[in-house]
Amino acid sequence: MKHLLSVNDLNEKDIYKIFEYAFQFEEVLSRPIPIVPSLKGKTILTLFYEPSTRTQTSFTLACKRLSCDVINFSFSTSSVLKGESLLDTVKNVLKMKIDGIIIRHPVAGVPNFLAHYLDKENIFVINAGDGINEHPTQALLDAYTLYKKFKDFRNLKILIIGDIKHSRVAHSDILIFQKLGCEVYVSCPYSFLPIDFEKTKIPYLSDFRKELGKFDCVITLRVQKERHNLSYLPSIREYHLLYGIKKEDLNKMKKDALLMHPGPVNWGVELSYDVLEDKRCVILDQVFNGVVIRMAIIFLLFQEKV
Amino acid sequence: MKLKNEREINKKIKDLAQKIYKKHKKNLNDLCFIGIKRRGISIAQRLSKEFKKFTNFKIPVGALDISFYRDDLQMIAHSPIVRGSEIAFSLQDKIVILVDDVIYTGRTVRAALSEILDYGRPKKIELLVLVDRNHRELPIQPDYVGFKFKVKKEDLIDVFLKEEDKKEGIYLKRR
């Protein structure tokens, strides 16, 4: 693993290695001084061309807990607004001696473009979400959250509800859970299904409620108002009625099933307010797991560099 | 070449436990052993067992994995999988006896000291090693030494313990 651009950069062994390190880092975070000096003197740049709270904070914290210096770049306060291109920004940043770049960009494939350009410079690239393509660190933390609960992925049934077409989380989640041996199902309005979806052979449920009792994990996705005008949906209220998870849906789920959401939640759309108090709703555990998973990824990418 | 056998190692560990007891018998409650992974832990556990035999007092044992505290990533890249530290008690105001099998350059102990200090502020830290060999690269010296050997820099001294290796002894490999 030289860069982390897609879940497809990882084999099963890599994924479990990341989990093992993440688990060690959980212990580190429980210490009175929750920081290790492993990456002293290294520098990472986070380039976020899209808004983010969780992911950018989580990456920044992960760097700091490893003693890695981190520079945060956000598009709204940068020269991008003056018309600087991505490549120009990167060329300038290169002169500042950076070891790795974490990038989020609204255009799919931008992290691959960067990695291609930076490969010979021995600078790694981590994809923190590229358009509608992928979000591999989210998939890893989702899988880790599940791993901590079940310790074994075989025969687990996972239902993903939401905008399968435009969700990078859905794309990365499907890749990782299939790789780990789970059975993945999806449910959403037809307009949220990618073209030729039937070719993937992933089962589509038009009425998931009938089968809710068989899933070990339900992942709900954010309705991304910024990626499409709402022409895909008749109304948000209808989406909530048909695809939103409510307390009575939790009652139909297994006692040990998990309910996840990558955040930020549109409360009253993907989830109703009353699900947060249920212990099966692990949205906030996902946030904690995000930090240790990202520590593990950064640590292992540096190890790979030497 | 075999330098010491199982019987000699066990006798030495018994002596070391007595030495620690003599020095700290007034503060047994504050005492704890922290072994450096992997063989340091086995030695720490044996010391604790010896202690129990003649004092009927159980000294707690913790485990330290210094992988994240090394001063070179290169070393981490080629070391086996990180196993994590397990210290189930507070180190605040404790007397910590840090335990390792061999002291050589002193860099492992340096890393271990940094790590321990992130767990709290012990009253005192002392160092116990089963084998003290020459060619230190840092100004770090042990407080309790089992065996002392003078060898060439490129020579290797290996400690094998039954808990980890199925055989037991201290071996010298000349290179």
Side-chain angles (χ1 to χ4, degrees), chain A residues 228-279:
Chain A
H228 42 77
N229 53 33
L230 289 166
S231 58
Y232 283 89
L233 294 173
S235 80
I236 289 286
R237 207 175 80 85
E238 189 197 270
Y239 183 88
H240 182 60
L241 285 174
L242 293 175
Y243 297 98
I245 296 285
K246 303 162 205 68
K247 199 154 193 181
E248 61 262 32
D249 298 317
L250 274 169
N251 293 339
K252 291 182 203 142
M253 282 168 58
K254 283 188 186 172
K255 289 269 171 290
D256 63 346
L258 298 180
L259 175 62
M260 298 199 222
H261 189 297
V265 179
N266 296 307
W267 292 104
V269 185
E270 303 99 48
L271 299 171
S272 71
Y273 291 97
D274 48 11
V275 301
L276 191 59
E277 62 208 41
D278 194 292
K279 67 174 187 353

Side-chain angles (χ1 to χ4, degrees), chain B:
Chain B
M1 186 172 67
K2 193 165 185 171
L3 302 172
K4 300 286 169 196
N5 61 26
E6 184 179 346
R7 197 180 46 79
E8 290 167 302
I9 290 174
N10 277 328
K11 184 172 177 303
K12 193 54 89 176
I13 287 176
K14 233 175 244 173
D15 295 349
L16 289 170
Q18 290 285 357
K19 257 190 202 160
I20 296 168
Y21 174 70
K22 266 183 208 141
K23 190 164 170 188
H24 293 293
K25 58 186 164 198
K26 284 184 190 138
N27 307 306
L28 286 185
N29 274 317
D30 297 337
L31 216 53
C32 67
F33 292 120
I34 302 283
I36 299 177
K37 288 197 169 175
R38 294 170 309 160
R39 295 186 185 81
I41 302 164
S42 310
I43 298 169
Q45 275 158 350
R46 288 193 197 180
L47 283 165
S48 181
K49 227 184 203 165
E50 285 303 325
F51 242 82
K52 183 116 203 301
K53 274 187 205 156
F54 62 82
T55 59
N56 210 18
F57 195 87
K58 179 124 182 51
I59 309 275
V61 177
L64 209 57
D65 180 333
I66 55 125
S67 303
F68 296 135
Y69 287 73
R70 297 210 79 110
D71 51 10
D72 46 356
L73 271 170
Q74 195 96 38
M75 288 287 275
I76 309 173
H78 299 107
S79 70
I81 182 82
V82 176
R83 294 161 155 223
S85 299
E86 295 145 55
I87 300 174
F89 43 89
S90 165
L91 297 185
Q92 199 66 30
D93 297 322
K94 281 272 160 55
I95 297 170
V96 175
I97 313 274
L98 185 61
V99 182
D100 203 3
D101 56 352
V102 182
I103 184 164
Y104 173 21
T105 62
R107 287 179 195 268
T108 302
V109 175
R110 198 282 310 156
L113 289 172
S114 305
E115 181 158 8
I116 286 178
L117 294 176
D118 283 348
Y119 276 94
R121 189 179 185 281
K123 196 192 297 178
K124 191 174 186 185
I125 306 177
E126 293 181 334
L127 175 63
L128 180 149
V129 294
L130 188 61
V131 175
D132 176 5
R133 60 164 292 184
N134 45 345
H135 302 294
R136 208 82 79 236
E137 292 169 6
L138 295 173
I140 290 175
Q141 307 307 337
D143 300 281
Y144 310 93
V145 176
F147 306 101
K148 207 165 171 159
F149 299 113
K150 210 170 167 187
V151 292
K152 281 199 228 120
K153 185 153 175 57
E154 61 272 20
D155 291 340
L156 261 182
I157 288 189
D158 282 322
V159 173
F160 294 110
L161 298 173
K162 270 192 301 195
E163 295 92 321
E164 292 284 343
D165 311 290
K166 288 179 190 134
K167 62 171 178 176
E168 180 141 337
I170 300 172
Y171 293 82
L172 171 66
K173 223 190 262 168
R174 293 211 186 274
R175 287 208 280 204

Side-chain angles (χ1 to χ4, degrees), chain A residues 134-204:
Chain A
E134 271 212 60
H135 192 352
T137 60
Q138 179 73 42
L140 281 161
L141 78 89
D142 288 350
Y144 182 61
T145 306
L146 209 62
Y147 177 72
K148 274 166 64 177
K149 170 97 187 180
F150 295 103
K151 294 281 174 264
D152 188 3
F153 288 100
R154 276 164 302 169
N155 304 322
L156 288 188
K157 290 189 173 62
I158 292 164
L159 172 64
I160 303 178
I161 305 174
D163 187 350
I164 308 297
K165 184 175 184 156
H166 300 98
S167 167
R168 54 193 175 209
V169 176
H171 302 156
S172 292
D173 271 353
I174 290 171
L175 285 174
I176 202 163
F177 286 125
Q178 288 192 329
K179 206 173 275 244
L180 293 167
C182 304
E183 276 178 60
V184 181
Y185 296 69
V186 301
S187 183
C188 59
Y190 270 121
S191 52
F192 276 171
L193 272 188
I195 300 163
D196 285 346
F197 185 72
E198 55 285 359
K199 283 187 188 154
T200 63
K201 301 210 168 68
I202 295 170
Y204 167 78

